[in-house]
Amino acid sequence: EGKLSVYHWFEYIPQEVLDKFAAEHGVEVTMDTYDSNEAMLASLKAGKLGSYDVAVPGDYMVEIMAGEGMLDTFEHTELSNFGNIQPQWADVSFDPGRKSSIPYQWGSTGFSVNRDAYSGDINTTSIIFDPPAELKGKINVLDSQGEVLALASMHLGIPQCTTDREQLKALNALLQGVKGDWASFGSDIAKDVLVSGDASAGMIYNGFSAKARSEGANIEYAFPKEGFVVWMDNVVLLKDAPNRDNAIKFMNFLLEPENIAAITNYAQYTAGIEGVDQFLTDEVKTAPELNPPSDQPGQFVMACDQAVQEVYDTIWTNLKK
Amino acid sequence: MTRKVDLRRFTGFQAITWACLFMLYAPLIVVMVYSFNDSNSITIWGGLSLRWYGDVFWGPEAEKFKVAALNSIVIAVSAAVVSTAIATSAATALLRAGRFRGKSLSFVLVNMPLMVPEIVTAVASLIFFSAIGFTAGYLTILVAHIVFCIPFAYLPIAARMQSIEDVYEHAAQDLYASKWQAFRLILLPLMAPGIISGFLLAFIISLDDFIITNFVKGAGIETLPTAIFGSVKQGIKPNIMAISTLLLLVSVLFVTLSWLVGRKGQKQ
Amino acid sequence: MTSETPIAVDIQDATKKYGSFTALRDVSLRIRDNEFFTLLGPSGCGKTTLLRTIAGFETLTEGAIKLFGEDIADLPPNKRPVNTVFQQYALFPHMDVTRNVMFGLQMLGQSEPEARKRAGEVLELVQLSAFADRLPSQMSGGQQQRVALARALAPNPKVLLLDEPLSALDLKLRQAVRLELQQIQQETGITFIFVTHDQEEALTMSDRIAVIAGGQVQQVGSTRDIYEEPNNKFVADFIGETNLLDVTVTDLGAGQATCILPGGGTFTCPAADGSHEGAGHLSVRPERMAIVPVDGAVLSGVVTRRIYLGTDMHVEVTLDDSEVMTVRVQNSADTHIPERGDRVGLGMEAAAARLLVD
Amino acid sequence: MTSETPIAVDIQDATKKYGSFTALRDVSLRIRDNEFFTLLGPSGCGKTTLLRTIAGFETLTEGAIKLFGEDIADLPPNKRPVNTVFQQYALFPHMDVTRNVMFGLQMLGQSEPEARKRAGEVLELVQLSAFADRLPSQMSGGQQQRVALARALAPNPKVLLLDEPLSALDLKLRQAVRLELQQIQQETGITFIFVTHDQEEALTMSDRIAVIAGGQVQQVGSTRDIYEEPNNKFVADFIGETNLLDVTVTDLGAGQATCILPGGGTFTCPAADGSHEGAGHLSVRPERMAIVPVDGAVLSGVVTRRIYLGTDMHVEVTLDDSEVMTVRVQNSADTHIPERGDRVGLGMEAAAARLLVD
Amino acid sequence: MAGGGISSGGKGSDMYEGLGPRLILPAWAIIGFFLVLPVGLMLIYSFLTKEFRGGVIWEFSLAAYDQFFFDRGLFGDEPPKIEWTYINIFWRSIWQAALATVFCLFIGFPTAWFIATRSGSNRQIWLFLITIPYWVNLLIRTISMKFLIRDNGPLNEFLLWTGLVDSPLHIINTNFAVQLGLFYSYLPFMVLPIYASVERYNFAFSEAAADLYASKWVTLRLIILPIVKPGIIAGCILVFVPSLGAFLAPDLLGGAKNFMIGSLIEEQFKGNAGNWPFGAAISMILLSMVMVVLTLYARAQSKEEASR
Ligand SMILES: Nc1ncnc2c1ncn2[C@@H]1O[C@H](COP(=O)(O)OP(=O)(O)OP(=O)(O)O)[C@@H](O)[C@H]1O
Ligand SMILES: Nc1ncnc2c1ncn2[C@@H]1O[C@H](COP(=O)(O)OP(=O)(O)OP(=O)(O)O)[C@@H](O)[C@H]1O
Ligand SMILES: NCCCCN
Ligand SMILES: [Mg+2]
Ligand SMILES: [Mg+2]
């Protein structure tokens, strides 16, 4: 008996998995969704902290939330399946010692291009930041400051959260210059615009792109040579969780290989849990989006300090003014 | 004989009206047509089918939409009832109670929810609710809905009350009715059409609200608009088209009913 | 109906102010029981205001109103044994005729069958039994008027107030309803206080009339008093048409005076209260003037206009000092009516002329 | 104003149907130039409909309308040299008086100063120069009426249509405006077509009257013709009060007939067109009846009611067969008025009675 | 939802004299507490110091307004210049809202007129036809509009099929699409008040004008429009105010590419920027603009009423 209140990304968990958890533990599960790490943070800050038990922030956001004191901690002994976590994800820089989080899925953020519209080389960030004529005005960009600015920095070859003024100015100038070639901003629509053909190219998460492809879009996911964003989303235990016990049960449930595999099959990213492979579909196992060439550099998005973040905010506002 | 000179007719106005109707209905008709599409994707026409209607009732999201629809209706009915009552009382104060201190301010107040842009109301309410520790939930939605429904209920109620001369109530009083009796036995029945349309307007406005609800709603509580938004922003799915078509039909039924009621009221 | 009859409504020095505007000023009226009393005056003179203070919808700024000797200042409208027939009838549109008539009875606590029975009786009285189930909107103006009357009569009020109840009816209908109203008043014996701005209506229906102007009572009296012995210029002018001659009063005696007419002739006539020597006005009704031979006439002039009115002919005679007098000559075969341009003399009987204050 | 005067408006066999309802049936009227012509009839008889077809707001189902000989069927209202004074005035509420009056002039292409000058003149004519800057809502009904008149007069129309322009005014004001209207018509020489349902109004103002009932013209004639020689029962009854006696016509000659009265007496009187022998109606105006000694009177009865009207007294005499006759006796010192219950005889002059068709 | 909702009603009767304060109390209580206070709190927030990543620090600051009006460069250390960014966003929103209002007026007036001049029962049916779509959720309506106008959506398919165009019309993610969305969202707010005015319009005025030689279109311009003006103004306000803060149409149909005031405010509370005092300040500026418009209107209205 009891409840569980989940704050989650959109289209990131199949209803069956929630139903399964609900049935197994006799818990009533409710879920709200968000479409960016920042939106989640803001809404928790604006008063919703205390009404959810768990959320699923990306790597850098875990660090931020911990710094804001928004996370509760647990003992590893509370989670009987804690040991299922793959070693490389068992201790991470954004949550040293995994005191508040467990891995959910990891993947990359790059972009996909409709092969009917453009047949040239797509493994370059120029597709987005210096687009070929065929794609101009047909590009959707994620409505996510962190990922866009990180990818843009890679395009320019400058470090994330740089404090160098010239580099920041160049970043600003790059975005100002290319904005006119972009059709729309949107994260949750990223798949739909590619499927419907509203956009011929678009920034997108790898799994989302795989889904778009399986829905009939003739697209190819790029692994640009300048770099791309990698991320890990994590289930975190929120401070003041109204149903902490059930939250722990839920996290433990998600460390079960069969359960997390169901999510991987649905969302088409990669789980950080041992023993998942046997449950995966062939489609997921062989998806090109999930199997990057090993030499390609992926980078986590960094959480910048306040001074840089304020410049980033200005650049972002300039982009959308 | 000669052509009739009709001062009410302006060339082109009828055409514009038809164009207007076309613009209003074209998207809805597209939605209706595509709700019968037997295809997972809305972009490809896969033949006629009712499968998405089945999906509405038995599909994976059916439970979620059922709960959301129920929430929406409960909230809309409660908000409409309360705001109609408040609006009726306010209209009586502003139109029937002579002068009193703060009357013009009250007038502004009653119409204020209409004047404050919705996004401002939404954000302000969210911050205020959390500042006073009024935890987000059902009640926050209800309260917010009551507030913004008041002017919508007020408009038709006041219009109706204005058109009813107070001589009827005076007559009642002259015939030994107390003020309360005059109000209950005379004014209220005469106001019925105004109150009904105020109620319906409030109901529909509440049922339709997305922005404010989305800001103030509690964790896991969905109304139909927020549920649809959550499920539709990624892209329109055929099941959403089926839901919309069903909603449209229910609405048409509802409007037709209210119209018939209104017409009956008018006849008297 | 003598002055010994009990006083139904006693209005004492009533003054009503709306802000700085005085709608009623020192109005005192004693309306007798069983009387058909009319308040007559031009639009805006305060008739409705006075009626509303009696009904209790307005409170007086000063003064008192007594109903059969009892001060009713503190009674709200629903506690006063006074009913009103409203100008626009104010029939409850959502109730049928019977329910309308029953309303007051039920508010007084009568049971449904009792009230229904009484309603039936009153509808009988106003000859509307056949319409008992109709809604007001399904009836003509005249019928609605009678429902309004029935509704006000049903609770058997001590005093019935009627605010221009006939003004919405057309001429022929109005004439018919006047008679009915008078009959019902006589049958029921209820005191009627009737408001109108139509002097003909006032004259045909009333026992007594109070003429009001500018919030003040100008004159109270029987119809004949008001018409034939107006107190002042306003009353003379408002009630019917009159010819006013500027005269010089020279010899003021008890109710009598001698005046010097514009042409120089002298004339003796009755004087109203408050007349004084010096400049004055002599009022003579058109029908009390006669066209006479020029020789020996007190006034003479030229016929400048003839207006045919069917029943009568109005002959306008312009006197030598360019004042215009109207003579009303009844159209009948034996009257000779002078042509335009004829020079004629004007005669008037002493009893028909009256010396007025302003 | 003889029949040689040119015809201003010539209405030929006009019929107007609204669906299956016939609002006008075969109406033919020849309205002369410079005439003050009145359409008189009860509510709903089609007066407004007729006026609106002349103005061009309605089209006839059948028939033709000619304006100074020219068929105007195809002219829209804004091309007809005809202006209208509307019943509710229809003054443009957002324009001041001058602007209202200038409107038509500017529409005709006059420049602003020209139009302003002319508006000034017309406002002078209706004595409203002082109100030139007011909005209509700031004026009394009578003043608004004059603005409406000025507005319609300003473009100097050939024909002016007036649809019950006085019905919203109160009695005294109505009387004053009647005179003014007549004067203005005489000064401007414009043909006035005036609509009213008030017979007194029609009688006082018009050169000629057309009495309309049920969409059909009942009679056209001078005021005196209409009042004294009504064509039929409807006209007699509608114009003024009349006593109608059911008689038996025995001896119908050229414009003359002998009738047997209810009491059995015989009486010779003029007959209207279409009278026939057998049952008929004899119409006698109350003022054309006289109270005479019972002996030798053609009719006799008992006084059952006396109504004081100021100018006159109405005496109701109930005949032996219980018909009620009204006699109008002018109030003057030398008339003797019988009391209620007195038995009296009734006299009437042959010339004053008239035999009517139904 | 007849017109004149903004102006105060009539001279007022006094049947329930003395009960006014008690009857208005519930409205005061709920609106006062749950709208006036929150808006008041926003006002206070706009003068506080922002907390990094959302929230406020209770220290007085004019930084939010400073940020709105002054441009201190990318790094906030240049000498202040006038900041055009936000003024432009406001300007764009006002312009969009004004365009949508004009668009609604040009379609809405003839429609309202046409409906109001139908006979009784037809009129009801027409009104009914106009309002039915509004019983469908705004969101669904906006999304179906989006679906309809997308590059390879039904509209373009139809146009290509008819051969009217040979390449798809690009409407989605343009300002025109936003216009269309706003128009579609708020049209009845224009039609209904105008309808109410026109229905009360006394055609005797048109007849008088025609009688005085005015043609129909001149009558429309000189007589009808001035007389039904209150309905038109009410309609314009009811379309303009919500359009100004509109959020769904720009987001869904405009591609969220250009900030409108609504999305700018939302961004401050929900998005990346997380600057609450700034969001509050923008809200207050927006609110005061709306109030100015309404006050001007109310003043004009009462002046007009006083002169009648
Ligand atoms: N509530 C009020 N406030 C201010 N003035 C008022 C009010 N009610 C009436 N008056 C004024 O008092 C005067 C008398 O009004 P009242 O209604 O009694 O006139 P009336 O004689 O009934 O006129 P009518 O024949 O037009 O009905 C008028 O000048 C009117 O303008
Ligand atoms: N548009 C219409 N459709 C149907 N019937 C109409 C129409 N206009 C007028 N009528 C009918 O035609 C008849 C004549 O109407 P009209 O307005 O001419 O009467 P009227 O003589 O002016 O009456 P009143 O004195 O009441 O103004 C009436 O019975 C009326 O009901
Ligand atoms: N569909 C959810 C994507 C999550 C990216 N971090
Ligand atoms: Mg009155
Ligand atoms: Mg008429």
Side-chain angles (χ1 to χ4, degrees), chain D residues 117-152:
Chain D
K117 183 156 160 290
R118 168 74 181 146
E121 288 165 21
V122 189
L123 286 175
E124 191 84 38
L125 181 71
V126 299
Q127 298 168 23
L128 280 180
S129 305
F131 295 83
D133 301 331
R134 294 249 191 127
L135 286 177
S137 56
Q138 298 165 332
M139 308 182 76
S140 76
Q143 292 163 340
Q144 288 186 28
Q145 199 279 334
R146 284 184 288 174
V147 179
L149 184 64
R151 186 177 70 173

Side-chain angles (χ1 to χ4, degrees), chain C residues 73-235:
Chain C
D74 290 329
L75 287 182
N78 51 327
K79 299 276 165 60
R80 301 191 184 192
V82 161
N83 288 348
T84 307
V85 176
F86 291 85
Q87 179 160 2
Q88 299 298 341
Y89 315 144
L91 297 177
F92 304 134
H94 57 304
M95 298 181 184
D96 65 21
V97 167
T98 307
R99 289 253 153 233
N100 262 285
V101 178
M102 285 165 66
F103 188 87
L105 301 167
Q106 291 188 297
M107 290 301 116
L108 284 174
Q110 286 196 12
S111 69
E112 162 112 24
E114 260 181 306
R116 191 172 288 280
K117 182 157 160 291
R118 168 77 180 143
E121 287 165 22
V122 190
L123 286 176
E124 191 84 36
L125 181 71
V126 298
Q127 296 167 23
L128 279 181
S129 305
F131 295 82
D133 300 331
R134 294 249 190 129
L135 287 176
S137 57
Q138 298 165 334
M139 307 181 77
S140 77
Q143 292 163 342
Q144 289 185 29
Q145 200 279 333
R146 284 183 288 172
V147 179
L149 184 63
R151 187 176 67 175
L153 287 172
N156 230 325
K158 295 204 174 139
V159 175
L160 192 69
L161 310 176
L162 302 100
D163 192 358
E164 312 208 17
L166 309 184
S167 65
L169 307 183
D170 75 21
L171 186 73
K172 287 270 157 186
L173 192 55
R174 199 152 65 226
Q175 286 171 341
V177 178
R178 273 181 203 164
L179 279 181
E180 254 175 58
L181 264 184
Q182 249 183 315
Q183 269 161 13
I184 287 173
Q185 195 264 334
Q186 277 155 18
E187 280 172 41
T188 59
I190 293 172
T191 307
F192 275 34
I193 306 181
F194 184 93
V195 161
T196 183
H197 62 253
D198 180 331
Q199 17 116 347
E200 190 185 331
E201 203 156 281
L203 289 174
T204 41
M205 303 178 74
S206 326
D207 292 323
R208 287 195 307 151
I209 296 175
V211 180
I212 303 178
Q216 286 178 296
V217 175
Q218 303 295 319
Q219 185 168 0
V220 184
S222 72
T223 51
R224 194 179 278 264
D225 286 350
I226 296 280
Y227 189 79
E228 288 176 11
E229 290 168 22
N231 258 352
N232 59 28
K233 205 176 142 185
F234 174 83
V235 175

Side-chain angles (χ1 to χ4, degrees), chain E residues 198-277:
Chain E
V198 172
E199 205 195 14
R200 277 195 303 258
Y201 173 74
N202 182 354
F203 279 90
F205 295 132
S206 286
E207 292 187 348
D211 189 63
L212 293 164
Y213 315 107
S215 72
K216 277 205 272 190
W217 291 97
V218 170
T219 305
L220 179 66
R221 188 164 54 86
L222 295 181
I223 307 296
I224 296 168
L225 286 182
I227 291 177
V228 302
K229 200 170 72 185
I232 293 178
I233 292 179
C236 287
I237 286 177
L238 288 178
V239 172
F240 184 77
V241 171
S243 295
L244 204 53
F247 175 72
L248 280 181
D251 195 38
L252 292 175
L253 300 172
K257 235 172 78 168
N258 295 318
F259 276 134
M260 298 272 285
I261 303 176
S263 35
L264 181 64
I265 293 174
E266 206 223 7
E267 183 84 4
Q268 306 311 315
F269 290 96
K270 279 205 123 168
N272 301 288
N275 187 341
W276 289 18

Side-chain angles (χ1 to χ4, degrees), chain D residues 48 87 163-164:
Chain D
T48 298
Q87 178 160 5
D163 192 358
E164 312 208 16

